[in-house]
Amino acid sequence: GAVVSQHPSWVICKSGTSVKIECRSLDFQATTMFWYRQFPKQSLMLMATSNEGSKATYEQGVEKDKFLINHASLTLSTLTVTSAHPEDSSFYICSAPATNYGYTFGSGTRLTVV
Amino acid sequence: AQSVTQLDSQVPVFEEAPVELRCNYSSSVSVYLFWYVQYPNQGLQLLLKYLSGSTLVKGINGFEAEFNKSQTSFHLRKPSVHISDTAEYFCAVSDPSGYNKLIFGAGTRLAVHP
């Protein structure tokens, strides 16, 4: 139980375009979703926390207008990277609290901006 | 503020040897502690977690960790490693007052050699 499905796994886009990443909770309701970014050989850095039906809370230094987060339902949270540039290339991972203080993670999205 | 320090960025070990991956944390409040494993281009899988109770926590794949409050440590151990244990391991901490964000350490690359 407590599975988060993240799509796409890989995406390549041209500089200046936007990319949407989806995370769906398959067998539970995710009222909260955490979005992380991971650079190669580095740790996970929290970008923002989304809560269903309300605005996301962004960590210091994360551009709200560039990384748009929507959590419109209890089973879907999306991250849109707007006007992507090569420096946005990274591995993005979502995570939702599960039962008994566990956290379940999506499989990640490798974004490459060319 | 909470923080996590993983003392070793890389740990090389031979197959069937024991291994210990070190993790220290700092926090002004009580915490929940986690160890996750990440295989290349994948999300994170929970190995084990400490919430309360017994300080020795047993997890999946033969891993265990011991919570030491006086030393603020939560080291991960396995008595005999396999090639398949080669991966990135992350220690994380969260504030137990609700489903708060996870703070991750920098990660330790475990490389098991035949």
Side-chain angles (χ1 to χ4, degrees):
Chain A
V3 176
V4 171
S5 177
Q6 184 171 349
H7 293 281
S9 299
W10 301 81
V11 59
I12 300 174
C13 70
K14 292 184 177 181
S15 187
T17 62
S18 295
V19 173
K20 179 184 284 188
I21 301 170
E22 293 187 348
C23 281
R24 294 181 183 273
S25 56
L26 299 184
D27 49 3
F28 70 106
Q29 293 182 331
T31 56
T32 299
M33 192 74 75
F34 301 104
W35 286 93
Y36 292 87
R37 182 174 183 176
Q38 185 181 29
F39 290 105
K41 300 186 185 302
Q42 294 189 28
S43 189
L44 283 76
M45 300 302 296
L46 182 68
M47 299 173 64
T49 302
S50 71
N51 292 288
E52 186 268 335
S54 62
K55 290 185 177 180
T57 302
Y58 290 81
E59 296 297 304
Q60 191 173 8
V62 177
E63 297 177 62
K64 301 178 182 181
D65 295 333
K66 182 166 193 59
F67 299 101
L68 300 180
I69 291 174
N70 184 281
H71 197 148
S73 77
L74 289 172
T75 59
L76 176 64
S77 178
T78 62
L79 166 67
T80 301
V81 183
T82 63
S83 186
H85 288 92
E87 57 266 30
D88 298 324
S89 298
S90 190
F91 194 59
Y92 294 87
I93 307 175
C94 61
S95 173
T99 58
N100 197 23
Y101 289 96
Y103 295 78
T104 185
F105 287 80
S107 56
T109 297
R110 171 73 60 195
L111 171 63
T112 302
V113 184
V114 298
Chain B
Q2 299 163 337
S3 67
V4 178
T5 302
Q6 291 183 243
L7 299 165
D8 306 294
S9 60
Q10 295 186 61
V11 173
V13 64
F14 287 109
E15 193 173 19
E16 298 183 3
V19 71
E20 178 180 81
L21 306 183
R22 297 180 292 170
C23 172
N24 286 88
Y25 69 93
S26 67
S27 176
S28 58
V29 298
S30 60
V31 294
Y32 290 163
L33 294 157
F34 305 80
W35 273 100
Y36 286 88
V37 61
Q38 185 182 34
Y39 299 99
N41 292 310
Q42 294 187 27
L44 276 67
Q45 180 182 11
L46 179 67
L47 284 176
L48 47 80
K49 63 181 183 282
Y50 172 79
L51 304 180
S52 64
S54 173
T55 57
L56 182 63
V57 181
K58 292 190 182 297
I60 63 171
N61 300 341
F63 285 94
E64 65 179 32
E66 185 158 17
F67 171 60
N68 188 319
K69 188 174 182 179
S70 63
Q71 297 186 5
T72 61
S73 68
F74 190 55
H75 300 333
L76 181 70
R77 303 186 185 96
K78 186 169 183 178
S80 176
V81 295
H82 303 289
I83 296 289
S84 58
D85 291 323
T86 295
E88 192 81 21
Y89 291 80
F90 292 98
C91 181
V93 62
S94 75
D95 185 334
S97 59
Y99 283 118
N100 289 302
K101 58 189 179 184
L102 285 174
I103 304 298
F104 286 89
T108 297
R109 170 73 177 172
L110 175 64
V112 182
H113 301 282

